[in-house]
Amino acid sequence: DGPRLAYECTFVPGLSDQIPEKLRGVFWMKGNIMNEELVVLQNGQWFPEERKLIMPLSPFNWAWAAIDGTMPKNPPGHGKFYKDQGMARYTMTQLVTNQTGFTFQFSKCPGARRMIWPYGLPGHACEKGSGEPPELTYADLKAHFWGEMKDSDQNGQYTMELHPNTDGNSWLRGIYTKVFGLSYDLTSYNLVRILDGDGNPVEPYHSEYMNYIGDANLAFWYNYTDPEVMPMLKKERLREAWNLMWEGYCSQVPTPDYC
């Protein structure tokens, strides 16, 4: 099944076992309005002194709902990003074409006050003051493109905030955007662990995921379909590689709106 494939194809002995246990395993992006379903953090690299995890997008560590007519039960956002094939395909390719990497910088939970939706502040879901080493309860998350790890082009602030009393198995994946000084929390979702660091099901989340996904198929990224892309990337011909990947994408979308 999809979670098992994700776990087995991303666990790297000597690397994955250096990552804190609560960050290993397979996570379900529950409530993500995009057609993204599973993510794996265990094939990143952990820097204990800095309390930082660096994770590249790599084969089998990200899964989307496949664009094949199958669909999970009651997908988030009324299924907009599942039904619109052009948007769904765009979602599936943007991380790959941008050579995305992620950093998770852990620190103490700020414990911001809760606000009425659609407003929200970073750190409102975790317990205030928690997260002293070696505990992990809060992280600022940044997305980086094309290996530029010092820069981030993301819009807004991304976080991971551990829900109390969940044994490290349920996090808020905060997505906060400021508009005219107000902080909005419109598209945050829950990141719940369905397989633990040893590959065992985590209940009740595993059963909940299996019921949700039903007969829907998943799509994993595992390689470039055009053999010219990888040589270009190795020679740092990034713009040429990017153009080539997008040409392949645009040849498959049903409408030209996303090209």
Side-chain angles (χ1 to χ4, degrees):
D1 63 288
R4 178 61 50 191
L5 183 67
Y7 179 85
E8 294 182 354
C9 291
T10 59
F11 189 89
V12 182
L15 179 68
S16 298
D17 45 21
Q18 299 301 310
I19 292 176
E21 197 281 331
K22 66 172 58 175
L23 301 180
R24 301 202 302 265
V26 179
F27 291 84
W28 169 27
M29 292 181 266
K30 180 183 178 183
N32 188 347
I33 63 170
M34 304 291 195
N35 59 318
E36 301 168 302
E37 302 295 351
L38 303 177
V39 65
V40 173
L41 311 180
Q42 65 185 15
N43 62 333
Q45 186 166 359
W46 175 249
F47 296 86
E49 293 185 2
E50 300 178 51
R51 306 186 74 208
K52 179 183 289 186
L53 174 67
I54 297 180
M55 185 198 82
L57 182 72
S58 57
F60 295 100
N61 79 338
W62 208 284
W64 298 260
I67 311 172
D68 61 357
T70 64
M71 191 180 300
K73 298 176 183 177
N74 301 315
H78 305 290
K80 176 176 175 55
F81 287 86
Y82 295 75
K83 299 171 184 176
D84 185 332
Q85 289 197 9
M87 183 62 76
R89 201 177 293 274
Y90 173 80
T91 303
M92 295 169 69
T93 55
Q94 63 168 333
L95 294 180
V96 177
T97 54
N98 288 321
Q99 293 287 288
T100 310
F102 301 90
T103 55
F104 301 77
Q105 180 62 66
F106 286 87
S107 61
K108 289 175 59 175
C109 173
R113 65 187 178 92
R114 294 180 179 272
M115 304 180 71
I116 298 175
W117 190 89
Y119 306 105
L121 295 171
H124 73 269
C126 48
E127 183 178 347
K128 183 177 181 179
S130 64
E132 289 280 4
E135 189 180 27
L136 303 176
T137 63
Y138 177 84
D140 281 303
L141 165 61
K142 294 187 182 300
H144 310 272
F145 302 144
W146 296 104
E148 297 294 337
M149 302 305 289
K150 293 183 179 180
D151 299 320
S152 177
D153 294 326
Q154 70 192 32
N155 295 318
Q157 183 176 353
Y158 298 169
T159 65
M160 278 183 64
E161 308 172 26
L162 182 65
H163 291 123
N165 305 314
T166 61
D167 295 324
N169 294 318
S170 178
W171 302 72
L172 176 72
R173 240 298 276 121
I175 302 174
Y176 303 96
T177 306
K178 280 195 172 182
V179 180
F180 300 118
L182 296 174
S183 179
Y184 288 86
D185 177 13
L186 294 169
T187 54
S188 297
Y189 57 88
N190 291 324
L191 195 65
V192 296
R193 190 159 64 156
I194 57 177
L195 294 183
D196 67 16
D198 295 320
N200 300 314
V202 177
E203 297 297 355
Y205 306 117
H206 181 267
S207 294
E208 186 179 347
Y209 165 79
M210 296 301 291
N211 180 64
Y212 158 80
I213 204 68
D215 295 327
N217 293 318
L218 295 177
F220 288 88
W221 176 74
Y222 72 96
N223 203 350
Y224 299 101
T225 56
D226 192 318
E228 296 184 32
V229 170
M230 186 59 74
M232 287 182 179
L233 292 175
K234 290 181 178 179
K235 295 178 181 179
E236 297 191 3
R237 293 162 56 188
L238 304 183
R239 175 56 61 179
E240 293 175 74
W242 188 88
N243 288 335
L244 193 60
M245 286 187 282
W246 273 103
E247 286 175 9
Y249 160 74
C250 289
S251 68
Q252 299 179 54
V253 295
T255 64
D257 298 346
Y258 307 98
C259 297

